[in-house]
Amino acid sequence: SAMTDIILDDGGTLDKYEGDAVIAFWNAPLAQEDHAVRGVRSALLCQQRLAEMRPALKSKYGKDIIVRIGMNTGKVVVGNMGSTRRFNYTFLGDAGNLAARLEGINKQFGTHILVSEYTLARTGDLFRTREISRVRVVGRKEPVRIFEPYSPQDFENRKDIINQFLQGLKLYYEGKFKDALDLFEGIADKDPPAAAYLRRCS
């Protein structure tokens, strides 16, 4: 309910609950010029709200509740899909598949939100982010750059770690794995993506 309220309050359309997932989209049924901004903002608010709820949830259930979010922007088909007897207002297309894939890629890097370069291209400079990786996508020759967005306060608190990570990532892309390893090693205990790249460099 807490996550759904945030999505609906920011103009999102709830598609469905699938297993433990909430699937939602923006820009339909009504057009929203700022749909990418709404999506990223909602993702950040969902993580913020969950952080507030986490202590009580842990006290009640004995476990930390962690949520991963993937987001992409692109063309999809939206409408009533199904059969003559039963249908669902939903979306279909590769852009949605990439969003689902980004949700899973969070696991590799210990991140909680990943958004594609296509989403960020529509948000201007409203959000602070760091590049996390480049991923291969079926049907595309060039890899897609993926980013972790931050609230202004979180970015400010982690600015030094993020800058060191980005220096290491640049060296990693250049194939200078030993130099990159030295940078990732210095922050791996404080930064899950750096720890992931430390393992890769090793």
Side-chain angles (χ1 to χ4, degrees):
S1 292
M3 304 299 103
T4 301
D5 287 349
I6 288 168
I7 292 165
L8 296 180
D9 288 347
D10 216 346
T13 298
L14 181 74
D15 183 345
K16 63 176 73 75
Y17 302 109
E18 189 173 272
D20 63 349
V22 178
I23 302 175
F25 54 89
W26 280 259
N27 205 31
L30 300 177
Q32 298 163 322
E33 281 299 313
D34 60 344
H35 53 83
V37 171
R38 291 169 183 257
V40 176
R41 182 169 58 210
S42 293
L44 290 168
L45 287 172
C46 281
Q47 293 292 1
Q48 180 182 317
R49 180 74 183 103
L50 183 61
E52 293 165 359
M53 297 170 67
R54 194 170 284 126
L57 290 169
K58 185 168 186 178
S59 173
K60 187 171 183 179
Y61 299 109
K63 291 185 181 295
D64 279 322
I65 305 298
I66 305 296
V67 168
R68 295 186 301 271
I69 300 172
M71 186 167 300
N72 183 42
T73 300
K75 290 188 177 181
V76 293
V77 176
V78 183
N80 292 326
M81 300 183 199
S83 69
T84 55
R85 298 182 66 179
R86 182 179 176 89
F87 58 83
N88 183 35
Y89 184 77
T90 187
F91 64 92
L92 185 66
D94 285 340
N97 297 339
L98 178 55
R101 189 174 167 204
L102 295 187
E103 184 274 326
I105 289 174
N106 278 290
K107 262 187 193 177
Q108 298 177 28
F109 296 103
T111 49
H112 294 154
I113 309 173
L114 286 176
V115 303
S116 73
E117 60 182 284
Y118 309 119
T119 297
L120 282 191
R122 298 191 64 117
T123 63
D125 57 359
L126 285 177
F127 301 104
R128 305 302 301 268
T129 66
R130 67 163 158 176
E131 183 169 342
I132 291 292
S133 185
R134 297 172 185 174
V135 298
R136 291 275 177 203
V137 180
V138 175
R140 296 181 191 271
K141 289 183 179 178
E142 294 298 317
V144 176
R145 298 169 69 202
I146 59 176
F147 297 80
E148 181 181 27
Y150 291 89
S151 68
Q153 188 61 53
D154 282 347
F155 188 89
E156 198 59 35
N157 291 342
R158 298 182 59 78
K159 188 166 58 177
D160 292 341
I161 289 172
I162 290 169
N163 286 338
Q164 187 164 329
F165 172 86
L166 291 174
Q167 292 172 38
L169 187 65
K170 181 175 183 292
L171 293 169
Y172 178 87
Y173 285 158
E174 293 170 356
K176 299 174 181 175
F177 302 121
K178 176 66 174 70
D179 294 335
L181 186 148
D182 291 341
L183 284 169
F184 292 134
E185 199 166 32
I187 54 173
D189 61 331
K190 300 183 283 285
D191 189 52
Y197 275 102
L198 180 61
R199 293 190 294 271
R200 290 183 177 195
C201 289
S202 298

